Amino acid sequence: MKTVVLCSKKMSYDGLLDFSSLSEEVDVYEDSENVAERAKGAEVLITKENPVDRELISRLPDSLKLIVEAGTGFNNIDIKAAGKRGILVCNIPAYSTESVSEMAIAFLLMCSSSLGQQMRMIERGDKRNFSEYLRVSHNEVFRKTLGIIGEGHIGSRVRDVALALGMDVLVYTRTPKEDREGVRHASFEELLKQSDYISLHCPLTEKTRHIIDEKALSTMKKTAFLINTSRGALVDEEALIRALKEGTIAGAALDVQEREPLDPKSPLFDMDNVILTPHIGWKANDTRKRLLSIIKENIEAYRRGEPVNVVNRLELR
């Protein structure tokens, strides 16, 4: 069986992953160019966040039977078009729970302690925090309220760590669970109004695109921070920039951006109340090894005739 891996550099930027174990024949490409040509004779296609739209799917060879998205989100793939051609689409759920939830908590603590601002001051040669009274805010998260939008694997892990830190947690989700000590399920508007920190952990769909827009930002506390380790397009980035400039909210920590890579001229790079990272939440060494292991498990399950993690069963003809 032949497997084609696209965008390998995203997964193995340091060369530590060995894709050769995925099947008998594996072609590995660092980019996502000439997909239809490269997929000739292949039965499995591995993608990583690169667009696989209806037009591309129409040009894929008849030999292709399985597309594995090497990640949790699969909004980059037209799963209906794949289903009409009888192509299974699988994702890799929960592989990055530990890494991404740790990233969200790190952002939370950095925002509360103004760590990013203090580091920027030192970079500018401003050492007044060491010789004068502290010139930035410095707060505990204890008894503050964390609003979590989305309560899947990652959102649930962030919730549990926040409880361990002594925080109160509000949750907004499509399928509310029972409240318990320290955790209350709330409406979207109530969560926006009451939260000191808001962390996004929902998939990107047509319903969730720009769920944080100008109206949502204006509903948040002026002292609140927005944390996004999920998908950049959950946030209307232009509205967020305006809100940050005008002091509508206190700040933001973003591991994902609406357009990646982020434009080098983006004002987000120069804002003292913003922490930016280049979508690294899932890129820890342990996480990427787990990713490759689950990709292999998906392929093996497909070969046994017992496919797992299929996201387009309803679309298959």
Side-chain angles (χ1 to χ4, degrees):
M1 187 179 74
K2 179 180 176 180
T3 297
V4 170
V5 179
L6 303 176
C7 296
S8 65
K9 205 69 173 177
K10 284 186 178 181
M11 294 176 273
S12 188
Y13 56 87
D14 48 10
L16 293 180
L17 298 187
D18 180 8
F19 297 101
S20 65
S21 63
L22 294 178
S23 66
E24 292 83 357
E25 182 182 352
V26 182
D27 291 348
V28 180
Y29 300 96
E30 293 185 354
D31 56 39
S32 58
E33 303 296 324
N34 305 316
V35 177
E37 181 68 25
R38 290 170 172 177
K40 286 183 178 179
E43 193 168 346
V44 179
L45 181 68
I46 312 296
T47 71
K48 182 58 181 171
E49 299 167 1
N50 48 289
V52 183
D53 58 19
R54 182 181 302 273
E55 190 276 331
L56 174 56
I57 288 172
S58 70
R59 294 188 289 110
L60 292 175
D62 292 338
S63 61
L64 196 76
K65 302 299 180 184
L66 175 66
I67 298 174
V68 181
E69 172 57 31
T72 303
F74 48 88
N75 52 286
N76 54 305
I77 301 174
D78 189 328
I79 61 173
K80 290 184 178 180
K84 288 181 179 179
R85 288 208 54 193
I87 300 172
L88 287 167
V89 179
C90 300
N91 71 336
I92 313 294
Y95 80 98
S96 61
T97 299
E98 291 76 11
S99 180
V100 177
S101 59
E102 289 173 8
M103 190 85 182
I105 293 297
F107 277 163
L108 170 69
L109 297 175
M110 288 183 72
C111 289
S112 67
S113 62
S114 301
L115 195 57
Q117 288 176 277
Q118 296 197 50
M119 293 171 68
R120 283 178 184 249
M121 289 176 68
I122 294 173
E123 290 171 0
R124 293 195 297 260
D126 185 349
K127 304 180 179 66
R128 287 177 295 171
N129 281 332
F130 293 84
S131 58
E132 303 175 13
Y133 293 114
L134 192 63
R135 306 184 71 84
V136 294
S137 63
H138 185 56
N139 299 295
E140 298 177 350
V141 297
F142 183 71
R143 289 295 169 251
K144 299 297 192 306
T145 298
L146 172 64
I148 296 177
I149 298 177
E151 200 178 14
H153 294 286
I154 298 171
S156 297
R157 182 66 59 85
V158 171
R159 175 202 66 202
D160 292 344
V161 176
L163 289 173
L165 291 171
M167 301 187 75
D168 297 316
V169 178
L170 292 177
V171 177
Y172 171 71
T173 182
R174 291 177 304 174
T175 53
K177 303 173 185 176
E178 289 187 9
D179 294 346
R180 58 189 176 94
E181 186 176 357
V183 181
R184 186 165 62 84
H185 291 77
S187 68
F188 182 57
E189 185 175 9
E190 182 185 3
L191 182 146
L192 293 173
K193 288 181 176 179
Q194 299 298 325
S195 298
D196 299 297
Y197 306 88
I198 294 177
S199 192
L200 304 181
H201 299 288
C202 52
L204 177 61
T205 67
E206 287 308 310
K207 290 185 177 180
T208 61
R209 182 177 295 275
H210 287 188
I211 189 172
I212 302 298
D213 56 11
E214 186 172 9
K215 181 181 179 180
L217 290 162
S218 65
T219 306
M220 292 170 61
K221 294 181 179 180
K222 286 186 176 296
T223 55
F225 290 85
L226 177 68
I227 298 168
N228 190 6
T229 57
S230 187
R231 285 290 183 267
L234 295 174
V235 180
D236 181 339
E237 203 163 273
E238 292 185 3
L240 175 62
I241 290 171
R242 288 194 299 271
L244 291 166
K245 286 181 175 179
E246 296 170 4
T248 305
I249 63 173
L254 311 170
D255 183 46
V256 290
Q257 294 82 44
E258 189 164 6
R259 296 173 186 82
E260 297 177 0
L262 183 62
D263 186 342
K265 296 180 180 178
S266 170
L268 291 171
F269 281 112
D270 300 315
M271 292 182 172
D272 280 347
N273 56 349
V274 174
I275 301 169
L276 282 177
T277 49
H279 204 159
I280 62 172
W282 65 275
K283 289 184 179 178
N285 289 341
D286 299 326
T287 311
R288 291 181 295 123
K289 290 176 183 177
R290 188 182 304 116
L291 171 65
L292 183 62
S293 175
I294 301 176
I295 290 174
K296 186 175 181 179
E297 290 172 5
N298 275 7
I299 294 173
E300 290 174 348
Y302 155 76
R303 297 186 76 170
R304 293 194 305 269
E306 302 170 348
V308 295
N309 302 322
V310 178
V311 298
N312 68 334
R313 288 189 188 277
L314 295 178
E315 287 78 16
L316 289 168
R317 63 183 182 187

